[in-house]
Amino acid sequence: MLVDNSSYHKKGWKADAFLEFKDLSDLETLPSPRVLNTHLPIALIPADAFRKKNKILYICRNPKDAIVSGYHHFKSDLFIGYSGSWNAFFDLMYKPDDTSPSMWFPNVLAGWTYCQENPETCLFLKYEDMIQDLRAHVERIAKFIDFERTPEMYNAIAKQCTFDVMKPAKLPKEQSMGLLKPGTSLYRKGKVGDWKNQFTVAQNERFNAIISEKMKDTGLTFEFEL
C-alpha cells in the first residue's frame, strides 16, 4: 500500500510473492520495486538481498501466542493435517531434552541480532506493538523504506490493515486456494494474550523458564497480554 500510495487491498494472494514458493527467476519478472514475503530464517534469505542492501521488515509475535497460532494452523492445513491434541503439540514443540523441532527462538533471535547490527536495512517489528499503535507503525515503516506519504494516507492504510478489516478482505482468496479445512482460516482471532485460553498453569511455568533461558541477555522482550 505504501509503495502504491494506495489504501486498497491487492487482489493477489500473498503466497504469489513468497520467496520459498517461487523460482528466483519468476520473482525477477515482478515490477520494481518488489515487495516480497518469506517465512525463511535470516540465514536462508538469498545473499543478494544483503549485498544489494534491500530493506527488510522483520515482523514477529510473542512466542506464546505464536505457538498457539501454529497449533491451530497445523490443524486447519490440509497438507499438514495435524490431528493431535494441544497438550501433545506443546510437548512436541518444546521437549525438555532440547531436541525440540520449534525454531522460533533461534530464528527470531537471529533476526533480532541482524536488525540490531544493521539498522539501516533491517527494521524489527513486533505484532504486539503494532496492535497498540498501528498508525504510528505505518508511518515508521514508510520512512524506513523511503516511501513517505501524507498523514491522510497513513490514516487510511492503518484503517485497512486492522485485523477486523483484513480478515474478510482476504478470506475469499484464501478459501479459493483449497489449502485449508472448510470453516477454518489463517486469520483466526489476531488477539494478543489468547495463549491464556490454551496454556495450562504448568505449561505456562515451563514456557516462562524456556523464555528466560533462551532470551537471557539478548535485550529482546515481548508483551504477552495487553
Side-chain angles (χ1 to χ4, degrees), residues 58-174:
Y58 193 101
I59 306 173
C60 66
R61 191 177 190 182
N62 81 69
K64 292 183 182 180
D65 282 328
I67 186 177
V68 171
S69 178
Y71 165 68
H72 287 284
H73 175 70
F74 278 31
K75 285 182 71 69
S76 64
D77 191 299
L78 289 172
F79 292 91
I80 298 174
Y82 179 77
S83 60
S85 67
W86 157 254
N87 290 337
F89 184 81
F90 181 90
D91 289 338
L92 174 66
M93 290 293 106
Y94 291 98
K95 298 178 181 180
D97 61 1
D98 206 29
T99 61
S100 305
S102 173
M103 294 299 291
W104 189 96
F105 286 100
N107 285 350
V108 171
L109 290 175
W112 168 250
T113 299
Y114 181 83
C115 289
Q116 294 298 104
E117 294 175 348
N118 301 274
E120 71 286 350
T121 57
C122 189
L123 180 62
F124 194 91
L125 300 166
K126 302 175 188 177
Y127 179 77
E128 297 76 21
D129 293 343
M130 291 189 285
I131 286 291
Q132 292 183 84
D133 194 344
L134 183 55
R135 164 63 172 76
H137 278 77
V138 169
E139 184 171 355
R140 183 185 180 196
I141 291 169
K143 292 178 178 178
F144 176 74
I145 64 174
D146 299 321
F147 279 91
E148 295 190 49
R149 303 304 185 189
T150 65
E152 292 76 17
M153 182 55 69
Y154 295 147
N155 292 337
I157 290 175
K159 182 178 180 180
Q160 290 298 314
C161 289
T162 62
F163 186 85
D164 289 341
V165 171
M166 287 190 67
K167 182 172 182 176
K170 300 295 184 180
L171 197 57
K173 181 64 176 179
E174 181 183 87

